[in-house]
Amino acid sequence: PHVFRFCTYLFRISDSAGRWIPAASVHVTPGDRELVTDASGRARVDIGAGNLVATVTATGYSAQSFSATCTAEKAAEPQEETVRLPRN
């Protein structure tokens, strides 16, 4: 049987036209983790069971927040969250 330990989230951060944003900050709670996206707008984190709140910021863009819930079903494969940031 599968032992549920955590969910893996892959964040993909883009502008409103779909272009990836490098060096965007993704602040994740619980755990107060600060992630930074790579050149392709990606950041990855493992989260235990329960609620996740992420706030995404990047220079020249408006911040966006979202929430998700880590469940045993979601732990079976990585979860991809795409966040589009509008320009300021």
Side-chain angles (χ1 to χ4, degrees), residues 4-7 9 30 46-52 68-72 75:
F4 171 54
R5 297 192 192 283
F6 58 84
C7 293
Y9 283 90
D46 295 327
I47 295 290
N51 295 325
L52 150 80
T69 302
C70 177
T71 63

Side-chain angles (χ1 to χ4, degrees), residues 44-73:
R44 182 184 154 279
V45 68
D46 295 327
I47 295 290
N51 295 325
L52 150 80
V53 177
T55 301
V56 182
T57 57
T59 302
Y61 296 90
S62 297
Q64 294 288 323
S65 293
F66 69 92
S67 61
T69 302
C70 177
T71 63
E73 293 77 28

